[in-house]
Amino acid sequence: MPDTSLRLLRRLDTGPRGLTDTEAAARLAEHGENTPAAVPPSPTWPRRCARALRDPFTAVLLTLGLVSAFVASWGTAVVILALVAVSCALRATGERRADRSLAALRGLVTGTATVLRRTGRADEPRAREVPVADLVPGDIVRLGPGDLVPADVRLLRAQGLTVRQDTLTGESAPVAKQPADVPRRFVESHLCFQGSHVVSGGATAVVVATGPRTRFAAARRTPFRRGPSAFDRSVHGISWVLIRFMLLTPPLVLMAGAALHGRGTQTLPFAVAVAVGLTPEMLPVIVTTCLARGASRLAEAHRVVVRRLPALHDLGAVDVLCLDKTGTLTQDRPVLAAALGPDGRDDPEVLRWAAVAAWWGLTLLELPAPDALDEALLTAAGPVGEEYDGVAALPFDAAHRLATVVVAGALGRHVLITKGAVEDVLGRCELPDAERRCLLEIAARQAASGLRVLAVATAELPARTRPYRPEDARDLTFRGLLTFHDDLAPGAAEALRTLTGLGIEVRVLTGDHPATAVRACRDLGLTVGEVRSGRSPDTTVTPGGVTVVARCTAEDKARVVSDLRAAGHTVGFLGDGVNDVPAMLAADVGVAPRGAVGVARESADVVLGEKDLGALGHAVLAGRHSSANIASYLRVTLSSNLGNVLAMLAAGLLLPFLPMLPAQVLAQNLCFDASQLAFADDRPDPEALRRPTRLRPPAFLRFLTGFGLLNAVADLATFAVLTLAPHGGAALDDQALFHSAWFTENLLTQALAMLLRSGRRFAGRRPGPVGRASAALAGAGLLLPATPLGAGLGLTALPAGRYLLLAAVLVPYGLALVVARVRHDQRQP
């Protein structure tokens, strides 16, 4: 059966006279305070560090460090465990910044509410101000202009009530509310939700939901939770392939050493060092440094705050940007588009009459602020209305969808000015049926183009002293139509053109009518592609046009974002309201402008400090800049490490001694890792900034395999030259000489790899930080064996002839790298 107001009051065990103090206290103990759900306690530092070990590379490093300690290779163990500690600390610090969203929900709820309460059952109810937190289901509350709705309520009585609920539903226009004894299904005009703002009128309502059971609190929760980020998804796909190889390396080396050379457990430290050599130990440091510097530059230059560092990388990988319309592309106010006379042509008199009505309605009703449409009228008309004397004002009536003002006209005459919905105003005008149909068609065409339409009519009446009523607005003279469009956000058009030029597909998700959303996009100069309802999400991305998804609820927005992510896209969401929070949490990266509501700002990963949305384009470029440097680091270190490991495994099977001592392997890794810190300051090729930066595992692994095998061939060629060239075989009789030559060759090949695989076309440019670092690495390879430190590692100075042998390998290797790099670039899209 329909839930009538009387049945609802009985079910809530209350009545029009409100609750008693005793009943309210008992319900408060039962239902809890009318506040959003409390934020769970933050995890402790040990728990955060333990969760950081879920990263594949970090877990493998920890395992290798423990194995090194088990075999008493203390130097290796200390280095590895120190890297693990640094990695965990960096990750724990980043996570600590992201656990503060729910506290901001309190900021949107007013401090007190007007409630009818009784001391005892026999006492008369009194209106009193009580803290919002003390409201309970069954309370009778009163609402007036300027109030924030303190809980979810159902209207019992209302007069001219309009409510802004755009932060919850995305509707840009105030919504008329009226009590309904038998509400129609799916129509919520009899309900007001916590966090909404009363624009005009007043009401008496019964509280039906408080605290975490309100629509406001539910908007913060979403079943579409964010999974692994774009960076995590791409790196993990690569990681597990390498991890399997790393886990197989020590057993293979041990078995080969025992079978061929009888070395057995003596080979274990070398096997562990080789496995560590394949690991990108500096990845946490490089990632954090790149992202932190990018975030710092954004904050200083463009006032963009990156609240979660990995979000900057994800922003650079975004290929689909979903955004809300109201408050993001448009501002929360309408702007007059045209004033049309009865003939459909421009007529300034229509605007003048409407502005007079707006001025005296605001003055006589003593409203705290004008209605959004009235404010647009007064802004467009300028000083108007004071030339008349106001007589009466009838507020907007949701039942009749009209507002009426009466001013003094000629001597003994009053002028009645009515404005409101076209159908209702025309229904009170003296017009032939054909003319009325023609005017309705004009209004329908304007509405279909995404404009909001208001009709204006007047009547001249004899002056009188008795009060005016809504029924007096009849036999009116039709004056014309007023059309309004949403005021565009500053810089939104240029910002969206920049984003689409960066290869990002834009989707507008809004709670507004499709025509309104399409109109806003066209006013911004965007080409509108597909237009559909939020109930029919699709994951197809069609470049070249903006997709509009209208009539979206908060759940619809989150579902669209989750479906796009499931289809393999990296999705960003830009929004400013409570209804945008679930989509922000479901996206790879959530973005909020400075003017967003508190909970949206706290839920966002990136906050734009300026009103101009152009800062978002700068943030995307900063993300791509950081991501390109991270990708360059991974390509260089993993391909070089893979080549070295393959060569060492092969040489370990062929040589009667270890091709390199464990300490030498770690020293080589340390030199290579230290030089690669330069990638954090590198300037990538502009081509890398023109499209989303993503590490696609198949293509990435093909790169690693190709360049890794090339590096392995160079290492094995060095082995062949040292053993087969004239007078080269003497190196086999001198292990220190062999180790030194191979140590030098490895660092020189890695220096070349840094230059040719850094992701830049460097011809004609000054050497950047990567060029200087590669030169320093080459210098370390040439000079370190002859130093006391080299002697401590078991290295020795090379004779001049050995450098010629190394050059015979390095020159062809460098040429092969150039050819491979050119072919790789040609295959890129």
Side-chain angles (χ1 to χ4, degrees), residues 448-491:
S449 68
L451 296 172
R452 292 162 63 183
V453 185
L454 197 68
V456 182
T458 63
E460 190 172 336
L461 306 173
R464 72 187 195 194
T465 57
R466 68 179 186 275
Y468 281 91
R469 299 177 301 172
E471 292 77 13
D472 293 325
R474 63 181 186 275
D475 301 329
L476 304 177
T477 300
F478 182 73
R479 292 289 183 176
L481 301 173
L482 298 165
T483 61
F484 302 83
H485 63 78
D486 291 328
D487 192 13
L488 303 179

Side-chain angles (χ1 to χ4, degrees), residues 97 286-298 309 312 626:
R97 300 174 181 173
I286 294 290
V287 168
T288 303
T289 304
C290 286
L291 298 180
R293 290 181 180 175
S296 177
R297 287 192 292 265
L298 274 177
L309 276 185
L312 187 59
S626 300

Side-chain angles (χ1 to χ4, degrees), residues 183-219:
R184 289 176 294 168
R185 192 180 183 190
F186 303 131
V187 175
E188 297 179 328
S189 60
H190 62 298
L191 299 175
C192 292
F193 304 107
Q194 184 184 51
S196 301
H197 180 268
V198 178
V199 177
S200 63
T204 300
V206 57
V207 174
V208 296
T210 59
R213 293 166 292 278
T214 63
R215 181 79 62 89
F216 183 82

Side-chain angles (χ1 to χ4, degrees), residues 623-637:
R624 293 184 181 181
H625 187 289
S626 300
S627 300
N629 287 344
I630 294 169
S632 292
Y633 162 75
L634 284 173
R635 290 190 185 98
V636 169
T637 190

Side-chain angles (χ1 to χ4, degrees), residues 707-768:
F707 282 87
L709 289 175
L710 183 59
N711 198 0
V713 169
D715 288 345
L716 292 175
T718 302
F719 167 70
V721 167
L722 291 176
T723 57
L724 301 179
H727 308 293
L732 295 180
D733 300 326
D734 188 344
Q735 295 185 25
L737 186 62
F738 185 91
H739 293 160
S740 300
W742 208 350
F743 181 92
T744 298
E745 185 272 343
N746 278 337
L747 291 186
L748 292 176
T749 56
Q750 288 169 336
L752 285 174
M754 289 181 64
L755 282 177
L756 296 175
R757 300 182 208 151
S758 63
R760 295 182 62 193
R761 294 180 176 87
F762 55 86
R765 299 186 182 181
R766 295 179 180 178

Side-chain angles (χ1 to χ4, degrees), residues 172 333-340 350-351 354-355 358 371-380 419-420 446-447 449-456 481-487 516 519 523:
S172 57
R333 62 173 184 265
V335 174
L336 182 71
L340 306 176
V350 181
L351 173 60
D371 170 80
L373 292 180
D374 286 346
E375 185 177 13
L377 291 171
L378 294 173
T379 300
K419 55 184 176 63
Q446 297 293 328
S449 68
L451 296 172
R452 292 162 63 183
V453 185
L454 197 68
V456 182
L481 301 173
L482 298 165
T483 61
F484 302 83
H485 63 78
D486 291 328
D487 192 13
T516 305
R519 176 76 187 212
D523 288 345

Side-chain angles (χ1 to χ4, degrees), residues 1 42 151 232 252 267 388 516 724 794 807:
M1 295 182 64
S42 298
D232 291 335
L252 288 175
T267 314
Y388 295 94
T516 305
L724 301 179

Side-chain angles (χ1 to χ4, degrees), residues 507 530 532-540 549 552 555-561 563-564:
R507 295 195 173 202
E530 183 182 5
R532 65 172 185 273
S533 165
R535 294 294 179 181
S536 56
D538 182 24
T539 59
T540 304
V549 186
C552 278
E555 187 179 25
D556 291 333
K557 293 181 180 182
R559 182 184 296 110
V560 170
V561 168
D563 288 346
L564 286 167

